Amino acid sequence: MRATTAMGRRRVAVACIIGNFLEYFDFGVYGFLAVAIGHEFFPGGSSAVGLLKSLAVFGVAFAVRPLGGVVFGLIGDRAGRKVSLSASVALMGVATTLIGVLPSYAAIGIAAPVLLVFLRCLQGLAVGGEWGASSAYLIETAPSDRRGIPGSFPSMAAALGLIFGALLSLAFQLSLSAAALDSWGWRVPFFVAAPLAAVGLYVRQRLEDTPVFQELAESDAPRARLKDALRRDQAKAIFVTFGFSWICGVGLYFLGTYVVNYLTATAHVGGTRATVLTSIGLAVYCALCPLAGRLSDRLGRRRTLLFGCLGHVVFGIPVFMALGTGSTPVVIVALIVFAIFQAPINANTSLVLIEMFPASTRLTSGALGFNLGVGAPSGFAPLVAAALVVSTGLSYAPGILLVGVALICGLILLFWLPETAGRDLTLDVDATKNGPAPTIAGKVTEVVSP
């Protein structure tokens, strides 16, 4: 396989981080301004009802993520990782900017929430293709025994985007009156998407495609088709990908967008303090992602993923009980505990996503399984969590949901996840079967068929 220089890997890292940052900044802004958006597009009724409707629209984008994963995955497998990356960041920038200029319900009636849903679906299509393509770029250009840190960059960049979205939203909340924020202030952060998308597109256009795709393009192998990615012999790998992606998405959206609303609506924490506390939790998670990625190079992907799932099963309910107190030091400790178990899951998601599948259908098959997990089942988790609190009266009800998802996903991974660390990414073979033994920390380990 062609070698990628250190400078080339740095350029790839910058290009991918910008895109992941942008897409989760856009999603984060929506989550942090959900109350104001609810007032503008879903007037009438209580604030709680408006928030639930706004969170429902937040989840709608995730319902179309599998479609985006397939579309952009096919583009990446057929035309190249570079084309897929460029197209996804451009679509995300356009859709997010248009949300910023969308007329309110008071101006155009029912057409306002309909258009909002449509633009959220475009965002879902874009983000559905972003994660797989950026992961492929980062991991296919990394040395086989040091993929962990670059593989963690998408998760780290997503956290940075959410933090920036949170702090920018906070700045507008502090500097504007409630009326001004509801009428026009919430729109301004969405305009940031345009220059960020332009920068991301420029940087990505200057990249060469990955060595893996270049070798595929020069080979006599036919271009990937959708039916190739959906072969029966890849069904288990797609199912396992769904397993680790579901807990990846639920944990990230809880930490990144739901906790701030939970702290304000359930724990009765002020909006400013809730945003700052959530940002602290995200910053800890962000710092832990590269450490978790590097650790998985030494211990393997299975162990680190299972560690994260087990932690959520044991501490999921206590974490939300602590969050429900509203006490600043208790909330910080709870968010740190949450981050300690979420970082190993998310940092390894990109790695296993790429290492699990053969090169020619890697983006299509992987993106389908990934977006089935982080799509609707994860995207609607904040809505389900909020509804559970309202219907049961239990402040720790979201923890029950987290424990349930972590338990199901943990069992899927325990029984069917093979160890993928060190696999040769150029081999266009069925990755669900026993392949070449990977090397972890200099030792040959057995590959277990899922």
Side-chain angles (χ1 to χ4, degrees):
M1 185 177 75
R2 297 177 175 88
T4 302
T5 65
M7 181 176 294
R9 289 194 293 271
R10 286 194 292 271
R11 188 178 296 118
V12 166
V14 170
C16 293
I17 286 173
I18 288 175
N20 289 120
F21 176 94
L22 167 64
E23 299 201 346
Y24 280 85
F25 162 75
D26 296 338
F27 270 64
V29 163
Y30 186 99
F32 285 109
L33 296 174
V35 174
I37 293 172
H39 292 163
E40 279 291 277
F41 291 92
F42 306 102
S46 66
S47 296
V49 172
L51 174 61
L52 287 173
K53 291 180 179 178
S54 183
L55 289 175
V57 176
F58 177 83
V60 162
F62 294 90
V64 300
R65 281 191 63 155
L67 177 60
V70 169
V71 170
F72 285 99
L74 279 172
I75 293 172
D77 283 333
R78 294 177 64 87
R81 290 26 171 167
K82 174 180 175 178
V83 176
S84 180
L85 273 178
S86 300
S88 66
V89 76
L91 179 60
M92 190 66 169
V94 170
T96 304
T97 303
L98 289 177
I99 289 178
V101 300
L102 192 62
S104 67
Y105 186 94
I108 60 174
I110 192 65
V114 170
L115 289 173
L116 178 63
V117 169
F118 173 71
L119 292 175
R120 287 289 296 163
C121 287
L122 291 184
Q123 286 185 317
L125 287 172
V127 78
E130 170 68 25
W131 197 283
S134 62
S135 298
Y137 244 112
L138 290 162
I139 296 167
E140 289 181 350
T141 57
S144 61
D145 60 341
R146 295 195 300 276
R147 295 173 186 156
I149 291 179
S152 73
F153 286 168
S155 298
M156 184 183 71
L160 290 172
L162 291 169
I163 292 170
F164 184 62
L167 296 179
L168 187 61
S169 302
L170 175 61
F172 278 88
Q173 291 168 0
L174 292 176
S175 60
L176 298 175
S177 65
L181 184 66
D182 285 351
S183 63
W184 61 269
W186 67 268
R187 299 177 181 274
V188 180
F190 286 90
F191 297 146
V192 177
L196 284 177
V199 171
L201 185 60
Y202 172 77
V203 174
R204 290 178 174 192
Q205 285 294 310
R206 293 170 61 85
L207 294 176
E208 292 185 357
D209 223 310
T210 71
V212 171
F213 182 79
Q214 290 181 42
E215 291 193 13
L216 278 174
E218 294 172 2
S219 70
D220 295 329
R223 289 288 184 262
R225 300 165 296 178
L226 180 58
K227 67 178 183 179
D228 297 326
L230 299 179
R231 295 196 312 264
R232 290 182 60 186
D233 57 6
Q234 295 199 51
K236 281 187 179 180
I238 292 174
F239 176 65
V240 172
T241 305
F242 165 84
F244 61 72
S245 300
W246 187 15
I247 186 60
C248 164
V250 170
L252 180 60
Y253 305 144
F254 268 21
L255 182 61
T257 58
Y258 175 64
V259 164
V260 66
N261 292 301
Y262 174 86
L263 290 174
T264 55
T266 303
H268 307 295
V269 174
T272 299
R273 188 156 62 98
T275 303
V276 171
L277 290 173
T278 302
S279 298
I280 291 173
L282 283 167
V284 173
Y285 161 83
C286 180
L288 290 175
C289 280
L291 296 177
R294 183 56 183 154
L295 189 65
S296 76
D297 282 336
R298 299 187 62 83
L299 301 181
R301 316 304 187 214
R302 275 178 55 87
R303 290 178 181 176
T304 48
L305 280 166
L306 290 172
F307 169 78
C309 291
L310 179 61
H312 280 328
V313 170
V314 175
F315 291 98
I317 292 176
V319 160
F320 273 92
M321 291 178 70
L323 293 174
T325 66
S327 167
T328 295
V330 175
V331 168
I332 290 175
V333 171
L335 291 175
I336 291 174
V337 171
F338 193 107
I340 287 172
F341 297 115
Q342 191 61 37
I345 295 171
N346 288 39
N348 281 274
T349 294
S350 294
L351 292 160
V352 181
L353 176 69
I354 299 305
E355 293 169 342
M356 191 82 129
F357 294 94
S360 64
T361 61
R362 179 167 293 145
L363 266 63
T364 309
S365 300
L368 176 61
F370 176 74
N371 286 292
L372 285 173
V374 299
S378 298
F380 284 107
L383 173 64
V384 174
L388 282 174
V389 173
V390 173
S391 62
T392 66
L394 300 174
S395 63
Y396 58 83
I400 299 174
L401 176 62
L402 178 63
V403 168
V405 174
L407 181 60
I408 293 171
C409 295
L411 290 174
I412 291 173
L413 301 181
L414 178 64
F415 288 108
W416 292 296
L417 175 66
E419 181 54 69
T420 63
R423 280 187 171 174
D424 185 348
L425 300 182
T426 64
L427 295 180
D428 198 5
V429 297
D430 183 359
T432 67
K433 297 179 180 178
N434 291 346
T439 301
I440 303 176
K443 298 179 180 180
V444 176
T445 61
E446 180 183 1
V447 178
V448 181
S449 179

